[in-house]
């Protein structure tokens, strides 16, 4: 990596350099040899599919999950979209149609909330103070939809 030593990179939330040992493990076999689409049926895809399934098993073992619970996405925006839409539609099936977020969320969240509003959800965008924090007294003064239109935690509490 050719980064000027005088330069300070402050956007690791968006992208981060690949660790050398990861690049070394991935480059020869998967970036130049076994580059087939792991979801395809052809022979070139088999090695890629095997590698993805092995990675899925390793991640699952590391966090105590089942491999079928591990999904890989292309990045944070796709993950945010998938998580928010998945929860929203799962809760909608149980009567929930209200989402609460803050005005300073990443666009992956705010754009998805705007799209969900077009799908019939209501969204409350909470204001933040000068430090980017939600102000609880101010939040309590902000009108919310009736309780039966709000999402509930699994324990039934708001």
């Amino acid at each position: 990596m050719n980064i000027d030593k005088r330069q300070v990179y402050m956007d690791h939330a968006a992208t981060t350099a690949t660790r050398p040992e990861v690049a070394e493990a991935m480059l020869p076999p998967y970036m130049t040899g076994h580059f087939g689409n792991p979801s395809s049926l052809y022979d070139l895809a088999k090695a890629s599919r095997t590698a993805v399934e092995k990675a899925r098993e390793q991640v699952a073992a590391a966090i105590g999950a089942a491999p079928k619970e591990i999904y890989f996405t292309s990045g944070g925006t796709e993950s945010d979209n998938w998580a928010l839409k998945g929860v929203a539609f799962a809760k909608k099936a149980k009567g929930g149609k209200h989402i609460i977020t803050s005005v300073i969320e990443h666009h992956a969240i705010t754009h998805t909330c705007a799209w969900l509003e077009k799908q019939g959800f209501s969204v409350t965008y909470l204001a933040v103070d000068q430090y980017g924090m939600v102000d609880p007294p101010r939040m309590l003064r902000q009108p919310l939809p009736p309780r039966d239109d709000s999402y509930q935690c699994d324990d039934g509490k708001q």
Side-chain angles (χ1 to χ4, degrees), residues 35-74:
F35 54 86
N37 178 349
S39 298
S40 295
L41 300 174
Y42 48 83
D43 287 340
L44 187 58
K46 288 180 184 175
S48 297
R49 184 171 37 258
T50 298
V52 169
E53 292 310 318
K54 180 179 177 188
R56 189 181 321 279
E57 290 169 5
Q58 290 172 325
V59 170
I63 64 171
K68 68 179 184 177
E69 297 174 302
I70 304 301
Y71 293 88
F72 297 114
T73 64
S74 64

Side-chain angles (χ1 to χ4, degrees), residues 10-131:
M10 301 288 283
D11 199 18
H12 284 279
T15 188
T16 301
T18 303
R19 291 181 60 113
E21 59 269 29
V22 172
E24 185 178 321
M26 294 297 295
L27 187 61
Y30 304 109
M31 302 298 183
T32 59
H34 304 297
F35 54 86
N37 178 349
S39 298
S40 295
L41 300 174
Y42 48 83
D43 287 340
L44 187 58
K46 288 180 184 175
S48 297
R49 184 171 37 258
T50 298
V52 169
E53 292 310 318
K54 180 179 177 188
R56 189 181 321 279
E57 290 169 5
Q58 290 172 325
V59 170
I63 64 171
K68 68 179 184 177
E69 297 174 302
I70 304 301
Y71 293 88
F72 297 114
T73 64
S74 64
T77 297
E78 181 184 359
S79 298
D80 287 347
N81 257 274
W82 196 27
L84 184 54
K85 288 177 182 176
V87 170
F89 284 108
K91 293 292 187 176
K92 184 177 183 182
K94 296 179 180 181
K97 297 184 300 184
H98 184 236
I99 299 164
I100 300 172
T101 190
S102 77
V103 296
I104 61 169
E105 285 294 336
H106 188 276
H107 64 66
I109 295 296
T110 58
H111 289 181
T112 302
C113 284
W115 182 87
L116 286 166
E117 286 181 284
K118 293 176 184 175
Q119 309 308 309
F121 291 86
S122 61
V123 180
T124 299
Y125 297 88
L126 298 175
V128 297
D129 65 17
Q130 68 270 26
Y131 304 106

Side-chain angles (χ1 to χ4, degrees), residues 20 25 36 120 150:
S150 298

